[in-house]
Amino acid sequence: MIICPQCGEPIRIDPDSSVCKAGHKFSVINGILDLLPDSNDSNVLHEEEHWDKVAEKGEMKIVPNEYISERLVGDYNNAFKEGIETAWKCTYPKHVNIADIGCGTGSAVTYLHNLDFHNVDYIGIDVSIKIMKMRSKEDNKRPDNWNIRFIKASANKAIFEDNSLDIVFSASALHHLELETVIKWVSRSLKPNGLLILHEPNSNNLFAKIGRKLVHDFHTKGERPLLPEQIKNLAYDHNLTIIHEKGLHYFTGSLQYLVGLLELPNPIAFCAYHASKFIDALVTTPSRNYSFVQVYKKSKRRSAYA
């Protein structure tokens, strides 16, 4: 299922090293296949440095309030589940191949592990080996039916065979990447009826804009925040039909960081959260919300939604 980023030939993965059919060799570091041994891409190197520092510190510079963050994660879980059930009508494949773009410690494992999958082959790809290694600290949360592997790679290059994936998942990663390049290989790599499932911060949200201006170290210099329509239009061009879309957390998305920064106690966080949810309910348009979830299905038919 994994192909060489240099020549496109299949890679045989061994415990200590791997080689593709054309003879390109790659190291395996602490169980993680390294497909970026000599990258000179300045953006990739900057992203690697940034996320390595996050891994070394063990957390982001600004930590969201735990009470609010847990509830927002629950909203994401529900939105992803709704999209998958809409696409597959609650009839999941018995064996699911999942690729996780910009996986960090395993975003798709965190968000999808409670779904009714029988067996899962999961491959997380990220530019930072250090942050992927942090997954070992969460091994007690590892689902028994998930076979988990991590690969150091840039999602700006295809590393999966055509028609090999059931789900490509991306949580807040696409705005760090070359969007059209990624959408193109995702469409090729998905099986018929396979899903692209994504969550992205919204470039149009007022509170998110303020945060980017005030807290520079919280973001990477190469990121390009997106609008829902940008992704939708490119997906349409590559035979991906949108079947689920939801805007989330108009005000609460930023509030979780503000409450965390001020270290407010949980009783105040509780009140702030429920007040902000009232504001959120007044804004449902994905293009105005703090973030949005979209689910696309690979199809030969053009979408009337786009």
Side-chain angles (χ1 to χ4, degrees), residues 1 8 11 23 25 28 30 42 45 60 65 68 91 103 119 139 155 165 216 237 249 278-279:
M1 184 165 61
I11 294 177
K25 295 181 180 180
V28 177
N30 296 311
S42 60
L45 294 173
M60 297 292 289
N65 174 264
I68 299 177
T91 304
C103 63
N119 291 292
D139 275 349
L165 299 171
H216 299 291
D237 291 338
H249 312 136
F278 176 79
I279 299 173

Side-chain angles (χ1 to χ4, degrees), residues 199-209 212 226-228 246-254 276-277 279-293:
H199 162 256
E200 279 292 311
N202 188 357
S203 67
N204 229 14
N205 180 265
L206 173 63
F207 304 106
K209 283 183 177 180
R212 290 189 188 96
L226 302 168
L227 288 170
K246 189 170 186 176
L248 294 165
H249 312 136
Y250 172 73
F251 181 62
T252 314
S254 294
S276 69
K277 288 295 287 182
I279 299 173
D280 289 351
L282 301 176
V283 183
T284 58
T285 307
S287 61
R288 294 179 62 196
N289 262 278
Y290 179 80
S291 63
F292 56 92
V293 167

Side-chain angles (χ1 to χ4, degrees), residues 201-272:
N202 188 357
S203 67
N204 229 14
N205 180 265
L206 173 63
F207 304 106
K209 283 183 177 180
I210 293 172
R212 290 189 188 96
K213 293 288 186 182
L214 297 179
V215 192
H216 299 291
D217 290 345
F218 190 63
H219 306 278
T220 61
K221 66 180 182 181
E223 68 178 40
R224 296 173 292 275
L226 302 168
L227 288 170
E229 291 297 325
Q230 289 177 265
I231 304 173
K232 201 181 299 183
N233 291 336
L234 282 171
Y236 174 84
D237 291 338
H238 292 283
N239 296 327
L240 296 173
T241 303
I242 189 165
I243 48 88
H244 183 70
E245 183 178 43
K246 189 170 186 176
L248 294 165
H249 312 136
Y250 172 73
F251 181 62
T252 314
S254 294
L255 181 73
Q256 63 177 325
Y257 295 104
L258 178 61
V259 172
L261 181 64
L262 298 176
E263 298 183 348
L264 299 178
N266 273 344
I268 296 178
F270 174 88
C271 295

